[in-house]
Amino acid sequence: MPIGAHLDHADPVAAARELGADAVQFFLTDPQGWTDPPERPDAAAIAASGLAVFVHAPYRINIAATNNRIRIPSRKLLASHAKGAAAIGARGLIVHGGHVGAGDDAAVGFENWRKLFERAEFEVPILIENTAGGENAMARSFDRLARLWDAVGEFGAGLCLDTCHAHAAGEDLAGIVDRVTAITGRVDLVHANGSRDEFGSSRDRHANYADSLLDPELIAAAVAAAGVPAIVETPVEGHAADIAYLRERLPE
């Protein structure tokens, strides 16, 4: 089970080597922008690095949106980042589940996700990430996640399970992998994050394990149960300690 961290995109291979990680995640562009990723001169080196490489899509992408001015650019941006992720040999492109507007019917958001996969094919697996807050979110609670998977499951959509987000959304981490795979049939990546906040807070604030209000033993147990790569998105100063903690508690 490769374990690594979300690192700076300038030279992710070197950053991962310095950290002793065997997995890496990074953005291809400004995560708050609408920019298509440029070709990377180090694409071949990243693909040949032996690292388990993952790309996180920009935060602005909202596939569920009922507003055409958000949804249509989101589809295009997701496709361009999938192409960029494929060029560096990434195992998946992580994207948040998104949300509909206040007063909108959630069913429209799920249908918008379905239409994405009906109308497009992607060069890398699209890994939908559960989110921490928002009454109108598509992937916050597991009952919503079940409705989302009813819409996209047949198209091979993947799942990125974020432990901090689940904790913030009020989902108990004990046995969480069994519960989520009963819905999705799969977990492709774990974002193994501690939380600065109490259970059910709806706050997406990651913490290093030493400072986490989410028991790190539950995080490690979720990673072990999933049996897939894990990425820590915790504060950078604690990356090495968080990775070491996971490695010490995972089966050989």
Side-chain angles (χ1 to χ4, degrees):
M1 288 180 282
I3 300 173
H6 184 99
L7 299 171
D8 187 85
H9 69 279
D11 192 348
V13 173
R17 300 289 189 227
E18 183 176 353
L19 187 59
D22 38 29
V24 65
Q25 176 185 285
F26 52 97
F27 295 109
L28 296 178
T29 62
D30 176 1
Q32 299 295 346
W34 288 97
T35 308
D36 293 330
E39 291 187 12
R40 293 187 62 111
D42 59 351
I46 295 174
S49 67
L51 296 169
V53 176
F54 294 89
V55 170
H56 202 300
Y59 295 132
R60 289 184 176 272
I61 290 175
N62 184 3
I63 300 300
T66 56
N67 185 336
N68 289 346
R69 294 183 179 181
I70 297 173
R71 185 180 67 258
I72 294 173
S74 291
R75 289 175 176 172
K76 294 178 178 178
L77 193 61
L78 187 68
S80 70
H81 278 255
K83 183 176 180 179
I88 61 172
R91 296 191 185 187
L93 175 66
I94 297 95
V95 61
H96 290 176
H99 59 275
V100 296
D104 288 337
D105 185 352
V108 178
F110 300 128
E111 182 61 19
N112 285 339
W113 267 107
R114 181 178 182 84
K115 289 176 179 177
L116 171 78
F117 288 108
E118 284 179 333
R119 298 174 182 180
E121 294 185 0
F122 299 97
E123 299 178 49
V124 295
I126 302 299
L127 310 183
I128 303 173
E129 181 177 354
N130 63 304
T131 50
E135 292 299 320
N136 304 309
M138 300 292 98
R140 178 180 183 267
S141 64
F142 280 12
D143 60 336
R144 283 285 182 91
L145 192 67
R147 293 181 66 187
L148 177 57
W149 240 255
D150 285 343
V152 304
E154 68 183 271
F155 301 102
L159 179 74
C160 173
L161 174 63
D162 188 301
T163 55
C164 175
H165 295 177
H167 171 82
E171 297 288 349
D172 190 351
L173 253 68
I176 195 169
V177 172
D178 286 342
R179 297 202 316 279
V180 77
T181 53
I183 295 168
T184 65
R186 61 194 291 172
V187 174
D188 298 83
L189 177 68
V190 177
H191 280 171
N193 298 318
S195 176
R196 293 171 57 186
D197 299 291
E198 299 287 351
F199 181 77
S201 69
S202 296
R203 291 186 173 185
D204 180 12
R205 301 199 302 172
H206 300 179
N208 296 117
Y209 298 166
D211 304 315
S212 176
L213 296 182
L214 166 56
D215 184 351
E217 290 286 354
L218 291 174
I219 301 171
V223 173
V228 298
I231 293 289
V232 297
E233 299 175 312
T234 53
V236 65
E237 60 271 16
H239 277 169
D242 292 343
I243 290 172
Y245 182 95
L246 290 178
R247 284 181 172 156
E248 290 169 1
R249 286 158 179 79
L250 294 181
E252 295 292 338

